Every structure is written in structure tokens, then in C-alpha cells.
PDB file of all heavy atoms in Angstrom:
ATOM      1  N   GLY A 104      14.489 -34.947   3.164  1.00 93.00           N
ATOM      2  CA  GLY A 104      13.916 -34.065   4.178  1.00 93.00           C
ATOM      3  C   GLY A 104      12.803 -33.228   3.580  1.00 93.00           C
ATOM      4  O   GLY A 104      12.864 -32.856   2.409  1.00 93.00           O
ATOM      5  N   ARG A 105      11.796 -32.934   4.394  1.00 94.00           N
ATOM      6  CA  ARG A 105      10.687 -32.085   3.950  1.00 94.00           C
ATOM      7  C   ARG A 105      10.363 -31.065   5.025  1.00 94.00           C
ATOM      8  O   ARG A 105      10.455 -31.353   6.211  1.00 94.00           O
ATOM      9  CB  ARG A 105       9.438 -32.927   3.674  1.00 94.00           C
ATOM     10  CG  ARG A 105       9.579 -33.846   2.494  1.00 94.00           C
ATOM     11  CD  ARG A 105       8.328 -34.668   2.276  1.00 94.00           C
ATOM     12  NE  ARG A 105       8.578 -35.701   1.277  1.00 94.00           N
ATOM     13  CZ  ARG A 105       9.093 -36.885   1.536  1.00 94.00           C
ATOM     14  NH1 ARG A 105       9.428 -37.199   2.770  1.00 94.00           N
ATOM     15  NH2 ARG A 105       9.294 -37.760   0.583  1.00 94.00           N
ATOM     16  N   ARG A 106       9.942 -29.862   4.573  1.00 93.00           N
ATOM     17  CA  ARG A 106       9.507 -28.809   5.494  1.00 93.00           C
ATOM     18  C   ARG A 106       8.658 -27.843   4.702  1.00 93.00           C
ATOM     19  O   ARG A 106       9.072 -27.381   3.644  1.00 93.00           O
ATOM     20  CB  ARG A 106      10.724 -28.099   6.086  1.00 93.00           C
ATOM     21  CG  ARG A 106      10.439 -26.792   6.803  1.00 93.00           C
ATOM     22  CD  ARG A 106       9.914 -27.052   8.208  1.00 93.00           C
ATOM     23  NE  ARG A 106      10.048 -25.879   9.050  1.00 93.00           N
ATOM     24  CZ  ARG A 106       9.142 -24.907   9.119  1.00 93.00           C
ATOM     25  NH1 ARG A 106       8.063 -24.944   8.378  1.00 93.00           N
ATOM     26  NH2 ARG A 106       9.318 -23.895   9.928  1.00 93.00           N
ATOM     27  N   LYS A 107       7.463 -27.516   5.196  1.00 91.00           N
ATOM     28  CA  LYS A 107       6.499 -26.689   4.467  1.00 91.00           C
ATOM     29  C   LYS A 107       6.310 -27.296   3.074  1.00 91.00           C
ATOM     30  O   LYS A 107       5.893 -28.441   2.968  1.00 91.00           O
ATOM     31  CB  LYS A 107       6.964 -25.242   4.393  1.00 91.00           C
ATOM     32  CG  LYS A 107       6.952 -24.520   5.731  1.00 91.00           C
ATOM     33  CD  LYS A 107       7.282 -23.059   5.535  1.00 91.00           C
ATOM     34  CE  LYS A 107       7.158 -22.281   6.815  1.00 91.00           C
ATOM     35  NZ  LYS A 107       7.448 -20.865   6.628  1.00 91.00           N
ATOM     36  N   SER A 108       6.639 -26.569   2.011  1.00 92.00           N
ATOM     37  CA  SER A 108       6.495 -27.159   0.676  1.00 92.00           C
ATOM     38  C   SER A 108       7.851 -27.481   0.062  1.00 92.00           C
ATOM     39  O   SER A 108       7.943 -27.747  -1.132  1.00 92.00           O
ATOM     40  CB  SER A 108       5.716 -26.213  -0.241  1.00 92.00           C
ATOM     41  OG  SER A 108       6.399 -24.990  -0.365  1.00 92.00           O
ATOM     42  N   ALA A 109       8.907 -27.450   0.867  1.00 94.00           N
ATOM     43  CA  ALA A 109      10.265 -27.719   0.379  1.00 94.00           C
ATOM     44  C   ALA A 109      10.605 -29.201   0.545  1.00 94.00           C
ATOM     45  O   ALA A 109      10.247 -29.818   1.544  1.00 94.00           O
ATOM     46  CB  ALA A 109      11.281 -26.876   1.128  1.00 94.00           C
ATOM     47  N   VAL A 110      11.298 -29.739  -0.450  1.00 95.00           N
ATOM     48  CA  VAL A 110      11.763 -31.126  -0.403  1.00 95.00           C
ATOM     49  C   VAL A 110      13.240 -31.128  -0.761  1.00 95.00           C
ATOM     50  O   VAL A 110      13.652 -30.493  -1.736  1.00 95.00           O
ATOM     51  CB  VAL A 110      10.995 -32.019  -1.410  1.00 95.00           C
ATOM     52  CG1 VAL A 110      11.514 -33.438  -1.367  1.00 95.00           C
ATOM     53  CG2 VAL A 110       9.517 -31.981  -1.126  1.00 95.00           C
ATOM     54  N   ALA A 111      14.053 -31.821   0.015  1.00 94.00           N
ATOM     55  CA  ALA A 111      15.490 -31.906  -0.249  1.00 94.00           C
ATOM     56  C   ALA A 111      15.921 -33.361  -0.287  1.00 94.00           C
ATOM     57  O   ALA A 111      15.645 -34.122   0.642  1.00 94.00           O
ATOM     58  CB  ALA A 111      16.272 -31.160   0.819  1.00 94.00           C
ATOM     59  N   ARG A 112      16.580 -33.741  -1.393  1.00 95.00           N
ATOM     60  CA  ARG A 112      17.184 -35.063  -1.491  1.00 95.00           C
ATOM     61  C   ARG A 112      18.673 -34.889  -1.239  1.00 95.00           C
ATOM     62  O   ARG A 112      19.364 -34.229  -2.007  1.00 95.00           O
ATOM     63  CB  ARG A 112      16.897 -35.664  -2.864  1.00 95.00           C
ATOM     64  CG  ARG A 112      15.412 -35.919  -3.070  1.00 95.00           C
ATOM     65  CD  ARG A 112      15.126 -36.748  -4.291  1.00 95.00           C
ATOM     66  NE  ARG A 112      15.734 -36.236  -5.507  1.00 95.00           N
ATOM     67  CZ  ARG A 112      15.077 -35.526  -6.431  1.00 95.00           C
ATOM     68  NH1 ARG A 112      13.814 -35.225  -6.252  1.00 95.00           N
ATOM     69  NH2 ARG A 112      15.688 -35.133  -7.520  1.00 95.00           N
ATOM     70  N   VAL A 113      19.153 -35.479  -0.151  1.00 93.00           N
ATOM     71  CA  VAL A 113      20.518 -35.251   0.331  1.00 93.00           C
ATOM     72  C   VAL A 113      21.345 -36.517   0.146  1.00 93.00           C
ATOM     73  O   VAL A 113      20.888 -37.618   0.443  1.00 93.00           O
ATOM     74  CB  VAL A 113      20.494 -34.858   1.831  1.00 93.00           C
ATOM     75  CG1 VAL A 113      21.890 -34.643   2.352  1.00 93.00           C
ATOM     76  CG2 VAL A 113      19.638 -33.622   2.037  1.00 93.00           C
ATOM     77  N   ARG A 114      22.576 -36.329  -0.366  1.00 93.00           N
ATOM     78  CA  ARG A 114      23.544 -37.421  -0.450  1.00 93.00           C
ATOM     79  C   ARG A 114      24.758 -37.054   0.391  1.00 93.00           C
ATOM     80  O   ARG A 114      25.274 -35.945   0.283  1.00 93.00           O
ATOM     81  CB  ARG A 114      23.999 -37.629  -1.888  1.00 93.00           C
ATOM     82  CG  ARG A 114      22.995 -38.315  -2.754  1.00 93.00           C
ATOM     83  CD  ARG A 114      23.539 -38.597  -4.128  1.00 93.00           C
ATOM     84  NE  ARG A 114      23.768 -37.323  -4.821  1.00 93.00           N
ATOM     85  CZ  ARG A 114      24.472 -37.190  -5.928  1.00 93.00           C
ATOM     86  NH1 ARG A 114      25.047 -38.232  -6.476  1.00 93.00           N
ATOM     87  NH2 ARG A 114      24.612 -36.013  -6.494  1.00 93.00           N
ATOM     88  N   LEU A 115      25.200 -37.977   1.217  1.00 91.00           N
ATOM     89  CA  LEU A 115      26.444 -37.813   1.981  1.00 91.00           C
ATOM     90  C   LEU A 115      27.482 -38.730   1.358  1.00 91.00           C
ATOM     91  O   LEU A 115      27.263 -39.935   1.235  1.00 91.00           O
ATOM     92  CB  LEU A 115      26.253 -38.201   3.446  1.00 91.00           C
ATOM     93  CG  LEU A 115      25.539 -37.224   4.350  1.00 91.00           C
ATOM     94  CD1 LEU A 115      25.551 -37.762   5.772  1.00 91.00           C
ATOM     95  CD2 LEU A 115      26.157 -35.861   4.317  1.00 91.00           C
ATOM     96  N   ILE A 116      28.607 -38.130   0.961  1.00 92.00           N
ATOM     97  CA  ILE A 116      29.692 -38.887   0.337  1.00 92.00           C
ATOM     98  C   ILE A 116      30.965 -38.605   1.125  1.00 92.00           C
ATOM     99  O   ILE A 116      31.245 -37.447   1.433  1.00 92.00           O
ATOM    100  CB  ILE A 116      29.881 -38.451  -1.133  1.00 92.00           C
ATOM    101  CG1 ILE A 116      28.577 -38.678  -1.909  1.00 92.00           C
ATOM    102  CG2 ILE A 116      31.019 -39.190  -1.790  1.00 92.00           C
ATOM    103  CD1 ILE A 116      28.580 -38.089  -3.291  1.00 92.00           C
ATOM    104  N   PRO A 117      31.753 -39.619   1.464  1.00 92.00           N
ATOM    105  CA  PRO A 117      33.009 -39.346   2.153  1.00 92.00           C
ATOM    106  C   PRO A 117      33.851 -38.356   1.351  1.00 92.00           C
ATOM    107  O   PRO A 117      34.030 -38.518   0.146  1.00 92.00           O
ATOM    108  CB  PRO A 117      33.681 -40.717   2.235  1.00 92.00           C
ATOM    109  CG  PRO A 117      32.557 -41.694   2.158  1.00 92.00           C
ATOM    110  CD  PRO A 117      31.522 -41.059   1.274  1.00 92.00           C
ATOM    111  N   GLY A 118      34.323 -37.322   2.025  1.00 88.00           N
ATOM    112  CA  GLY A 118      35.090 -36.276   1.340  1.00 88.00           C
ATOM    113  C   GLY A 118      35.700 -35.311   2.340  1.00 88.00           C
ATOM    114  O   GLY A 118      35.987 -35.679   3.474  1.00 88.00           O
ATOM    115  N   GLU A 119      35.826 -34.044   1.903  1.00 88.00           N
ATOM    116  CA  GLU A 119      36.493 -33.058   2.754  1.00 88.00           C
ATOM    117  C   GLU A 119      35.566 -31.961   3.246  1.00 88.00           C
ATOM    118  O   GLU A 119      36.021 -30.912   3.685  1.00 88.00           O
ATOM    119  CB  GLU A 119      37.700 -32.449   2.028  1.00 88.00           C
ATOM    120  CG  GLU A 119      37.375 -31.707   0.745  1.00 88.00           C
ATOM    121  CD  GLU A 119      37.367 -32.601  -0.477  1.00 88.00           C
ATOM    122  OE1 GLU A 119      37.725 -33.791  -0.379  1.00 88.00           O
ATOM    123  OE2 GLU A 119      36.965 -32.103  -1.535  1.00 88.00           O
ATOM    124  N   GLY A 120      34.251 -32.154   3.179  1.00 86.00           N
ATOM    125  CA  GLY A 120      33.323 -31.180   3.745  1.00 86.00           C
ATOM    126  C   GLY A 120      32.734 -30.200   2.756  1.00 86.00           C
ATOM    127  O   GLY A 120      32.254 -29.142   3.157  1.00 86.00           O
ATOM    128  N   LYS A 121      32.733 -30.514   1.459  1.00 90.00           N
ATOM    129  CA  LYS A 121      32.104 -29.628   0.476  1.00 90.00           C
ATOM    130  C   LYS A 121      30.590 -29.664   0.658  1.00 90.00           C
ATOM    131  O   LYS A 121      30.032 -30.668   1.089  1.00 90.00           O
ATOM    132  CB  LYS A 121      32.450 -30.054  -0.954  1.00 90.00           C
ATOM    133  CG  LYS A 121      33.856 -29.708  -1.377  1.00 90.00           C
ATOM    134  CD  LYS A 121      34.042 -29.903  -2.861  1.00 90.00           C
ATOM    135  CE  LYS A 121      34.067 -31.390  -3.169  1.00 90.00           C
ATOM    136  NZ  LYS A 121      34.417 -31.678  -4.558  1.00 90.00           N
ATOM    137  N   PHE A 122      29.945 -28.552   0.296  1.00 90.00           N
ATOM    138  CA  PHE A 122      28.503 -28.429   0.436  1.00 90.00           C
ATOM    139  C   PHE A 122      27.949 -27.841  -0.858  1.00 90.00           C
ATOM    140  O   PHE A 122      28.225 -26.692  -1.185  1.00 90.00           O
ATOM    141  CB  PHE A 122      28.195 -27.539   1.645  1.00 90.00           C
ATOM    142  CG  PHE A 122      26.738 -27.267   1.859  1.00 90.00           C
ATOM    143  CD1 PHE A 122      25.803 -28.263   1.739  1.00 90.00           C
ATOM    144  CD2 PHE A 122      26.317 -25.998   2.201  1.00 90.00           C
ATOM    145  CE1 PHE A 122      24.457 -28.002   1.940  1.00 90.00           C
ATOM    146  CE2 PHE A 122      24.985 -25.726   2.409  1.00 90.00           C
ATOM    147  CZ  PHE A 122      24.055 -26.727   2.283  1.00 90.00           C
ATOM    148  N   ILE A 123      27.205 -28.638  -1.625  1.00 93.00           N
ATOM    149  CA  ILE A 123      26.708 -28.216  -2.932  1.00 93.00           C
ATOM    150  C   ILE A 123      25.190 -28.388  -2.971  1.00 93.00           C
ATOM    151  O   ILE A 123      24.670 -29.455  -2.655  1.00 93.00           O
ATOM    152  CB  ILE A 123      27.371 -29.026  -4.061  1.00 93.00           C
ATOM    153  CG1 ILE A 123      28.871 -28.752  -4.060  1.00 93.00           C
ATOM    154  CG2 ILE A 123      26.756 -28.679  -5.410  1.00 93.00           C
ATOM    155  CD1 ILE A 123      29.674 -29.656  -4.935  1.00 93.00           C
ATOM    156  N   VAL A 124      24.486 -27.304  -3.341  1.00 93.00           N
ATOM    157  CA  VAL A 124      23.025 -27.320  -3.450  1.00 93.00           C
ATOM    158  C   VAL A 124      22.645 -26.970  -4.879  1.00 93.00           C
ATOM    159  O   VAL A 124      23.021 -25.897  -5.374  1.00 93.00           O
ATOM    160  CB  VAL A 124      22.374 -26.311  -2.483  1.00 93.00           C
ATOM    161  CG1 VAL A 124      20.865 -26.376  -2.580  1.00 93.00           C
ATOM    162  CG2 VAL A 124      22.832 -26.553  -1.063  1.00 93.00           C
ATOM    163  N   ASN A 125      21.919 -27.849  -5.544  1.00 93.00           N
ATOM    164  CA  ASN A 125      21.464 -27.628  -6.922  1.00 93.00           C
ATOM    165  C   ASN A 125      22.597 -27.199  -7.849  1.00 93.00           C
ATOM    166  O   ASN A 125      22.440 -26.309  -8.681  1.00 93.00           O
ATOM    167  CB  ASN A 125      20.339 -26.594  -6.957  1.00 93.00           C
ATOM    168  CG  ASN A 125      19.083 -27.086  -6.279  1.00 93.00           C
ATOM    169  OD1 ASN A 125      18.941 -28.272  -5.999  1.00 93.00           O
ATOM    170  ND2 ASN A 125      18.169 -26.192  -6.001  1.00 93.00           N
ATOM    171  N   GLY A 126      23.767 -27.798  -7.688  1.00 92.00           N
ATOM    172  CA  GLY A 126      24.901 -27.512  -8.555  1.00 92.00           C
ATOM    173  C   GLY A 126      25.690 -26.270  -8.178  1.00 92.00           C
ATOM    174  O   GLY A 126      26.703 -25.971  -8.805  1.00 92.00           O
ATOM    175  N   LYS A 127      25.257 -25.529  -7.163  1.00 91.00           N
ATOM    176  CA  LYS A 127      25.966 -24.325  -6.709  1.00 91.00           C
ATOM    177  C   LYS A 127      26.627 -24.597  -5.365  1.00 91.00           C
ATOM    178  O   LYS A 127      26.186 -25.462  -4.611  1.00 91.00           O
ATOM    179  CB  LYS A 127      24.992 -23.160  -6.491  1.00 91.00           C
ATOM    180  CG  LYS A 127      24.458 -22.506  -7.716  1.00 91.00           C
ATOM    181  CD  LYS A 127      23.616 -21.321  -7.272  1.00 91.00           C
ATOM    182  CE  LYS A 127      23.028 -20.579  -8.437  1.00 91.00           C
ATOM    183  NZ  LYS A 127      22.190 -19.461  -7.984  1.00 91.00           N
ATOM    184  N   ASP A 128      27.650 -23.816  -5.056  1.00 92.00           N
ATOM    185  CA  ASP A 128      28.254 -23.884  -3.730  1.00 92.00           C
ATOM    186  C   ASP A 128      27.192 -23.510  -2.699  1.00 92.00           C
ATOM    187  O   ASP A 128      26.430 -22.556  -2.895  1.00 92.00           O
ATOM    188  CB  ASP A 128      29.453 -22.928  -3.653  1.00 92.00           C
ATOM    189  CG  ASP A 128      30.126 -22.963  -2.305  1.00 92.00           C
ATOM    190  OD1 ASP A 128      30.452 -24.063  -1.824  1.00 92.00           O
ATOM    191  OD2 ASP A 128      30.308 -21.890  -1.715  1.00 92.00           O
ATOM    192  N   GLY A 129      27.130 -24.246  -1.610  1.00 90.00           N
ATOM    193  CA  GLY A 129      26.108 -24.015  -0.591  1.00 90.00           C
ATOM    194  C   GLY A 129      26.157 -22.622   0.009  1.00 90.00           C
ATOM    195  O   GLY A 129      25.123 -22.040   0.338  1.00 90.00           O
ATOM    196  N   ASN A 130      27.361 -22.060   0.155  1.00 90.00           N
ATOM    197  CA  ASN A 130      27.486 -20.708   0.709  1.00 90.00           C
ATOM    198  C   ASN A 130      26.832 -19.684  -0.220  1.00 90.00           C
ATOM    199  O   ASN A 130      26.173 -18.753   0.240  1.00 90.00           O
ATOM    200  CB  ASN A 130      28.956 -20.349   0.920  1.00 90.00           C
ATOM    201  CG  ASN A 130      29.586 -21.196   2.006  1.00 90.00           C
ATOM    202  OD1 ASN A 130      28.968 -21.476   3.015  1.00 90.00           O
ATOM    203  ND2 ASN A 130      30.814 -21.611   1.784  1.00 90.00           N
ATOM    204  N   LEU A 131      27.026 -19.844  -1.522  1.00 93.00           N
ATOM    205  CA  LEU A 131      26.400 -18.940  -2.484  1.00 93.00           C
ATOM    206  C   LEU A 131      24.891 -19.132  -2.512  1.00 93.00           C
ATOM    207  O   LEU A 131      24.138 -18.157  -2.553  1.00 93.00           O
ATOM    208  CB  LEU A 131      26.961 -19.173  -3.892  1.00 93.00           C
ATOM    209  CG  LEU A 131      28.337 -18.617  -4.190  1.00 93.00           C
ATOM    210  CD1 LEU A 131      28.802 -19.052  -5.570  1.00 93.00           C
ATOM    211  CD2 LEU A 131      28.315 -17.105  -4.106  1.00 93.00           C
ATOM    212  N   TYR A 132      24.453 -20.374  -2.502  1.00 92.00           N
ATOM    213  CA  TYR A 132      23.022 -20.662  -2.595  1.00 92.00           C
ATOM    214  C   TYR A 132      22.267 -20.047  -1.420  1.00 92.00           C
ATOM    215  O   TYR A 132      21.199 -19.479  -1.587  1.00 92.00           O
ATOM    216  CB  TYR A 132      22.806 -22.176  -2.636  1.00 92.00           C
ATOM    217  CG  TYR A 132      21.378 -22.561  -2.948  1.00 92.00           C
ATOM    218  CD1 TYR A 132      20.932 -22.637  -4.259  1.00 92.00           C
ATOM    219  CD2 TYR A 132      20.476 -22.854  -1.930  1.00 92.00           C
ATOM    220  CE1 TYR A 132      19.625 -22.991  -4.558  1.00 92.00           C
ATOM    221  CE2 TYR A 132      19.163 -23.207  -2.216  1.00 92.00           C
ATOM    222  CZ  TYR A 132      18.752 -23.265  -3.527  1.00 92.00           C
ATOM    223  OH  TYR A 132      17.449 -23.606  -3.815  1.00 92.00           O
ATOM    224  N   PHE A 133      22.834 -20.169  -0.224  1.00 90.00           N
ATOM    225  CA  PHE A 133      22.191 -19.605   0.962  1.00 90.00           C
ATOM    226  C   PHE A 133      22.713 -18.213   1.292  1.00 90.00           C
ATOM    227  O   PHE A 133      22.569 -17.740   2.417  1.00 90.00           O
ATOM    228  CB  PHE A 133      22.337 -20.560   2.155  1.00 90.00           C
ATOM    229  CG  PHE A 133      21.448 -21.755   2.044  1.00 90.00           C
ATOM    230  CD1 PHE A 133      21.964 -22.985   1.708  1.00 90.00           C
ATOM    231  CD2 PHE A 133      20.092 -21.639   2.237  1.00 90.00           C
ATOM    232  CE1 PHE A 133      21.129 -24.090   1.585  1.00 90.00           C
ATOM    233  CE2 PHE A 133      19.248 -22.734   2.120  1.00 90.00           C
ATOM    234  CZ  PHE A 133      19.775 -23.962   1.789  1.00 90.00           C
ATOM    235  N   GLN A 134      23.334 -17.544   0.321  1.00 87.00           N
ATOM    236  CA  GLN A 134      23.737 -16.139   0.397  1.00 87.00           C
ATOM    237  C   GLN A 134      24.622 -15.840   1.609  1.00 87.00           C
ATOM    238  O   GLN A 134      24.494 -14.807   2.238  1.00 87.00           O
ATOM    239  CB  GLN A 134      22.486 -15.258   0.419  1.00 87.00           C
ATOM    240  CG  GLN A 134      21.602 -15.514  -0.770  1.00 87.00           C
ATOM    241  CD  GLN A 134      20.190 -15.019  -0.577  1.00 87.00           C
ATOM    242  OE1 GLN A 134      19.849 -14.460   0.452  1.00 87.00           O
ATOM    243  NE2 GLN A 134      19.370 -15.217  -1.575  1.00 87.00           N
ATOM    244  N   PHE A 135      25.492 -16.778   1.947  1.00 86.00           N
ATOM    245  CA  PHE A 135      26.440 -16.642   3.053  1.00 86.00           C
ATOM    246  C   PHE A 135      25.728 -16.349   4.378  1.00 86.00           C
ATOM    247  O   PHE A 135      26.290 -15.706   5.262  1.00 86.00           O
ATOM    248  CB  PHE A 135      27.487 -15.561   2.762  1.00 86.00           C
ATOM    249  CG  PHE A 135      28.383 -15.909   1.601  1.00 86.00           C
ATOM    250  CD1 PHE A 135      28.110 -15.438   0.338  1.00 86.00           C
ATOM    251  CD2 PHE A 135      29.469 -16.745   1.780  1.00 86.00           C
ATOM    252  CE1 PHE A 135      28.920 -15.764  -0.744  1.00 86.00           C
ATOM    253  CE2 PHE A 135      30.290 -17.081   0.724  1.00 86.00           C
ATOM    254  CZ  PHE A 135      30.016 -16.597  -0.545  1.00 86.00           C
ATOM    255  N   ASN A 136      24.487 -16.786   4.517  1.00 88.00           N
ATOM    256  CA  ASN A 136      23.724 -16.574   5.743  1.00 88.00           C
ATOM    257  C   ASN A 136      24.160 -17.617   6.773  1.00 88.00           C
ATOM    258  O   ASN A 136      23.910 -18.812   6.609  1.00 88.00           O
ATOM    259  CB  ASN A 136      22.227 -16.681   5.454  1.00 88.00           C
ATOM    260  CG  ASN A 136      21.378 -16.294   6.641  1.00 88.00           C
ATOM    261  OD1 ASN A 136      21.708 -16.593   7.778  1.00 88.00           O
ATOM    262  ND2 ASN A 136      20.268 -15.630   6.371  1.00 88.00           N
ATOM    263  N   ALA A 137      24.796 -17.142   7.844  1.00 89.00           N
ATOM    264  CA  ALA A 137      25.349 -18.051   8.855  1.00 89.00           C
ATOM    265  C   ALA A 137      24.260 -18.858   9.553  1.00 89.00           C
ATOM    266  O   ALA A 137      24.497 -19.994   9.969  1.00 89.00           O
ATOM    267  CB  ALA A 137      26.161 -17.262   9.878  1.00 89.00           C
ATOM    268  N   ASN A 138      23.062 -18.275   9.679  1.00 91.00           N
ATOM    269  CA  ASN A 138      21.975 -19.010  10.342  1.00 91.00           C
ATOM    270  C   ASN A 138      21.605 -20.264   9.558  1.00 91.00           C
ATOM    271  O   ASN A 138      21.476 -21.345  10.134  1.00 91.00           O
ATOM    272  CB  ASN A 138      20.731 -18.123  10.478  1.00 91.00           C
ATOM    273  CG  ASN A 138      20.956 -16.982  11.440  1.00 91.00           C
ATOM    274  OD1 ASN A 138      21.777 -17.070  12.341  1.00 91.00           O
ATOM    275  ND2 ASN A 138      20.239 -15.899  11.239  1.00 91.00           N
ATOM    276  N   TYR A 139      21.421 -20.120   8.247  1.00 92.00           N
ATOM    277  CA  TYR A 139      21.050 -21.273   7.421  1.00 92.00           C
ATOM    278  C   TYR A 139      22.178 -22.299   7.390  1.00 92.00           C
ATOM    279  O   TYR A 139      21.948 -23.503   7.516  1.00 92.00           O
ATOM    280  CB  TYR A 139      20.735 -20.840   5.991  1.00 92.00           C
ATOM    281  CG  TYR A 139      19.497 -19.991   5.845  1.00 92.00           C
ATOM    282  CD1 TYR A 139      19.460 -18.931   4.948  1.00 92.00           C
ATOM    283  CD2 TYR A 139      18.363 -20.239   6.589  1.00 92.00           C
ATOM    284  CE1 TYR A 139      18.328 -18.152   4.794  1.00 92.00           C
ATOM    285  CE2 TYR A 139      17.218 -19.469   6.451  1.00 92.00           C
ATOM    286  CZ  TYR A 139      17.209 -18.430   5.550  1.00 92.00           C
ATOM    287  OH  TYR A 139      16.084 -17.662   5.406  1.00 92.00           O
ATOM    288  N   LEU A 140      23.403 -21.834   7.209  1.00 90.00           N
ATOM    289  CA  LEU A 140      24.534 -22.760   7.094  1.00 90.00           C
ATOM    290  C   LEU A 140      24.776 -23.501   8.406  1.00 90.00           C
ATOM    291  O   LEU A 140      25.070 -24.697   8.413  1.00 90.00           O
ATOM    292  CB  LEU A 140      25.784 -21.997   6.655  1.00 90.00           C
ATOM    293  CG  LEU A 140      25.675 -21.334   5.273  1.00 90.00           C
ATOM    294  CD1 LEU A 140      26.859 -20.429   5.016  1.00 90.00           C
ATOM    295  CD2 LEU A 140      25.544 -22.376   4.190  1.00 90.00           C
ATOM    296  N   GLY A 141      24.637 -22.798   9.535  1.00 90.00           N
ATOM    297  CA  GLY A 141      24.797 -23.443  10.839  1.00 90.00           C
ATOM    298  C   GLY A 141      23.704 -24.464  11.091  1.00 90.00           C
ATOM    299  O   GLY A 141      23.946 -25.539  11.648  1.00 90.00           O
ATOM    300  N   LEU A 142      22.495 -24.136  10.665  1.00 91.00           N
ATOM    301  CA  LEU A 142      21.353 -25.026  10.823  1.00 91.00           C
ATOM    302  C   LEU A 142      21.579 -26.332  10.074  1.00 91.00           C
ATOM    303  O   LEU A 142      21.333 -27.423  10.595  1.00 91.00           O
ATOM    304  CB  LEU A 142      20.111 -24.315  10.262  1.00 91.00           C
ATOM    305  CG  LEU A 142      18.747 -24.890  10.518  1.00 91.00           C
ATOM    306  CD1 LEU A 142      18.364 -24.630  11.970  1.00 91.00           C
ATOM    307  CD2 LEU A 142      17.740 -24.245   9.590  1.00 91.00           C
ATOM    308  N   ILE A 143      22.086 -26.211   8.847  1.00 91.00           N
ATOM    309  CA  ILE A 143      22.278 -27.384   7.988  1.00 91.00           C
ATOM    310  C   ILE A 143      23.397 -28.282   8.507  1.00 91.00           C
ATOM    311  O   ILE A 143      23.287 -29.506   8.492  1.00 91.00           O
ATOM    312  CB  ILE A 143      22.580 -26.924   6.548  1.00 91.00           C
ATOM    313  CG1 ILE A 143      21.321 -26.291   5.949  1.00 91.00           C
ATOM    314  CG2 ILE A 143      23.081 -28.062   5.693  1.00 91.00           C
ATOM    315  CD1 ILE A 143      21.577 -25.461   4.730  1.00 91.00           C
ATOM    316  N   LYS A 144      24.473 -27.686   8.998  1.00 90.00           N
ATOM    317  CA  LYS A 144      25.633 -28.477   9.427  1.00 90.00           C
ATOM    318  C   LYS A 144      25.540 -28.932  10.877  1.00 90.00           C
ATOM    319  O   LYS A 144      26.411 -29.658  11.359  1.00 90.00           O
ATOM    320  CB  LYS A 144      26.907 -27.673   9.190  1.00 90.00           C
ATOM    321  CG  LYS A 144      27.123 -27.423   7.697  1.00 90.00           C
ATOM    322  CD  LYS A 144      28.444 -26.818   7.385  1.00 90.00           C
ATOM    323  CE  LYS A 144      28.561 -26.662   5.870  1.00 90.00           C
ATOM    324  NZ  LYS A 144      29.809 -26.166   5.427  1.00 90.00           N
TER     325      LYS A 144
END
């Protein structure tokens, strides 16, 4: 995915719903911002 100058390479793997961005938990990476997390999911 691309937007403005951001590029994201996304892998979907069968699992239990974990979300990891650049080696960090997705909630921490996006600072627990519900808008970003809702947008992504």
C-alpha cells in the first residue's frame, strides 16, 4: 500500500488477530489511537 510518501508492505498470515508494525505491537506503534487502528482493520 502507498499513500503520500508512505509505503507499507503487508503480510497476512492465518492466526489469532495479532497486529505488528516494524517489530512493535500495532497498538503501541499507533499510540493506541482508535482512529488509526479502526482504519487499518
